[in-house]
Amino acid sequence: MSLGWLREERDAHVLGALRVAFASLLLLLAVRFARELVQNGFFADAFYMPLLPRSWVPSRTEYVTLIAVQGLGSLLALVGVLARPALFTAALCGLYGFLCDRLNYHNNRYELLLLALLVAVTPCDRSFLWFGQTRPGTAPRWAARLVGAQISIVYLASSLGKLVDADWRTGAVLLPRFAVGRPVLEHFLPASLAALVSAPWFAHAASLAAIGSELFLALGLWFSSTRVLALWLGVMFHSGIELAAHVELFSYTMLSGYLAFVTPELRERRLSWNSERPLGDYLAALCRKLDLLARFTHEHVSEQASLLIVQDRAGLSHHGLAAWRELARALPPLFPLWLPLCLLTLRERRTQTYTGR
Amino acid sequence: MFNEASRLTIHLSREVAGRRGPLLVPIPSGRWRAPDSSGRVREYAWQDRVHYPLDRLEVSLHASYGLDAQLFHLQAALDDVVRHIPDDERTLALVADVDTIRNGAPGPHVRLRAVKP
């Protein structure tokens, strides 16, 4: 078995963004734990179910300290001070809390803590630092692969679990949920359309679509030919979950984890704006701010006919809507626009200007 | 995604000694009164020990992580509460009668019982 992936080294810049994302989520989780402590009291003062021996369960004071350490660790990791040990410690504190009371277990919280632990193992302390200098360069990639693997495991386990469950396959699980949502839909849609969601065949089709989507996400993220589509589908999938169900920090956790699949190399694309047009200047400045993952070199060109020209990794130049498509593909805040733009530009010829790469 | 769209409704009762054998006394609010060994009447509440979501009785609850998980937790809750009512001289056991709905279809009626040590 080839172990070359253990020796692989790639640019570590994007891993800093991964650290910031998970440190932020871990901080929010610590705040949630603190709020639950204040509102519901200390868990061990009532019925609880520890996985650890009861003598290992912390006292109230020790539990408060645990939450405080998690919060502090998250904050330090966020700003990049002792980032990796801080993130690792914060995640461990949260996981320890889980072992103390299984009634507090939530899939989404466990996933967040586990991913934060894995992110702490990556070389994520070289960029996105509030203090100190960024350290550009390559670093071992294997730990980031583990983060990606954990993301895929969630989709794989979920899809396979649904696939082997007859109730899920036939739509029996989704049908009651859709029935609850039907009165809400009737405010926005004609009654005949809203009634669709109560139809067994609709629930069946939706179930198969959900299973297929999760299976595609589990596998598609790993192949360059399907990765972008899988990422786009994942963004839509989790945005939908967030709007429809709001499962605590789950959607944000998974979307943050997608950073582990971003190509590590920086500035392999070129973005040039027509600097003679005020709009060009404004959009250039905006895109520079939105280019959090350093996907582009940014240029102002006065002789350029088009407002925007984007040169992709292969050296092909894109104008018009195709340029906006390439922009949307690589700028996270614009990414939801990528597939619609792809569909709009399907037939457009690409202007091929090779730069001798 | 969620593994089930199941629900459960918990009906709580106390088992006390009757003239012709054990008697089930419903406690829909989760609160009851019983004398201790000195005859003094004390108040007890299911909700003193059990918090959300299993503290909610007589209402249909979503079964997070599935019916089996919630029934497992409920049994543990019953075991815990009976351990924490040592002064209650009347209660012999706590019984939870659970109506279940599994993925939209009526499920089995489940009875869980915890005997006071």
Side-chain angles (χ1 to χ4, degrees), chain A residues 40 45-47 49 54 102-103 105-108 158 162 165 167-168 172-174 176-177 210 214 237, chain B residues 1-6 48-51 54 62 65 72-74 76-78 80-81 83 102-104:
Chain A
N40 305 331
D45 287 341
F47 162 60
M49 296 178 70
R54 284 183 187 257
R102 64 195 298 174
L103 294 179
Y105 175 84
H106 296 267
N107 279 340
N108 69 88
S158 183
K162 292 180 181 71
D165 184 336
D167 279 348
W168 245 108
V173 173
L174 283 185
R177 296 272 177 140
E214 286 190 311
F237 181 73
Chain B
M1 269 195 205
F2 44 92
N3 59 334
E4 280 181 31
S6 299
D48 283 348
R49 290 292 303 172
V50 181
H51 293 170
L54 297 178
H62 167 63
Y65 301 106
F72 177 69
H73 292 165
L74 181 57
L78 288 167
D80 179 89
V81 173
R83 281 198 303 270
R102 190 182 288 272
N103 294 328

Side-chain angles (χ1 to χ4, degrees), chain A residues 143-200:
Chain A
R145 297 269 188 217
L146 290 182
V147 173
Q150 178 56 42
I151 295 279
S152 284
I153 282 170
V154 169
Y155 293 129
L156 196 62
S158 183
S159 58
L160 293 180
K162 292 180 181 71
L163 200 57
V164 301
D165 184 336
D167 279 348
W168 245 108
R169 278 200 317 273
T170 56
V173 173
L174 283 185
L175 194 57
R177 296 272 177 140
F178 286 168
V180 168
R182 179 177 165 178
V184 176
L185 273 181
E186 284 172 351
H187 283 109
F188 304 103
L189 296 174
S192 53
L193 269 181
L196 266 182
V197 299
S198 297

Side-chain angles (χ1 to χ4, degrees), chain A residues 274-287:
Chain A
N274 185 329
S275 60
E276 285 183 352
R277 296 162 68 169
L279 185 61
D281 273 345
Y282 172 74
L283 291 173
L286 184 62
C287 283

Side-chain angles (χ1 to χ4, degrees), chain A residues 95-329:
Chain A
L95 286 169
Y96 176 64
F98 267 4
L99 296 176
C100 292
D101 184 13
R102 64 195 298 174
L103 294 179
N104 273 330
Y105 175 84
H106 296 267
N107 279 340
N108 69 88
R109 296 182 186 184
Y110 175 67
E111 174 72 353
L112 167 55
L113 290 163
L114 195 57
L115 283 171
L117 202 72
L118 290 174
V119 169
V121 179
T122 70
C124 59
D125 54 351
R126 299 173 179 219
S127 58
F128 290 84
L129 308 171
W130 286 33
F131 311 101
Q133 295 288 327
T134 299
R135 289 178 285 151
T138 61
R141 183 81 186 157
W142 62 268
R145 297 269 188 217
L146 290 182
V147 173
Q150 178 56 42
I151 295 279
S152 284
I153 282 170
V154 169
Y155 293 129
L156 196 62
S158 183
S159 58
L160 293 180
K162 292 180 181 71
L163 200 57
V164 301
D165 184 336
D167 279 348
W168 245 108
R169 278 200 317 273
T170 56
V173 173
L174 283 185
L175 194 57
R177 296 272 177 140
F178 286 168
V180 168
R182 179 177 165 178
V184 176
L185 273 181
E186 284 172 351
H187 283 109
F188 304 103
L189 296 174
S192 53
L193 269 181
L196 266 182
V197 299
S198 297
W201 69 262
F202 183 83
H204 188 193
S207 295
L208 295 178
I211 294 170
S213 300
E214 286 190 311
L215 213 45
F216 176 68
L217 285 171
L219 303 172
L221 288 168
W222 292 94
F223 302 100
S224 53
S225 53
T226 53
R227 182 172 303 126
V228 179
L229 181 59
L231 285 171
W232 190 88
L233 183 66
V235 168
M236 294 299 111
F237 181 73
H238 289 293
S239 301
I241 288 175
E242 181 62 18
L243 286 171
H246 185 57
V247 185
E248 295 192 352
L249 297 170
F250 176 61
S251 292
Y252 302 103
T253 298
M254 297 304 279
L255 292 176
S256 298
Y258 286 175
L259 289 169
F261 292 97
V262 171
T263 304
E265 284 66 41
L266 309 182
R267 309 200 188 285
E268 291 188 310
R269 299 174 172 87
R270 200 180 74 181
L271 196 56
S272 64
W273 297 95
N274 185 329
S275 60
E276 285 183 352
R277 296 162 68 169
L279 185 61
D281 273 345
Y282 172 74
L283 291 173
L286 184 62
C287 283
R288 230 182 268 270
K289 286 188 170 48
L290 295 180
D291 190 15
L292 303 165
L293 304 178
R295 303 291 88 189
F296 297 96
T297 57
H298 298 260
E299 296 177 0
H300 285 226
V301 179
S302 55
E303 299 89 22
Q304 182 174 293
S306 305
L307 172 65
L308 166 67
I309 297 176
V310 175
Q311 189 176 77
D312 63 22
R313 273 203 212 101
L316 300 174
S317 288
H318 305 272
H319 303 251
L321 267 184
W324 288 99
R325 178 196 67 218
E326 294 301 309
L327 194 65
R329 177 184 170 138

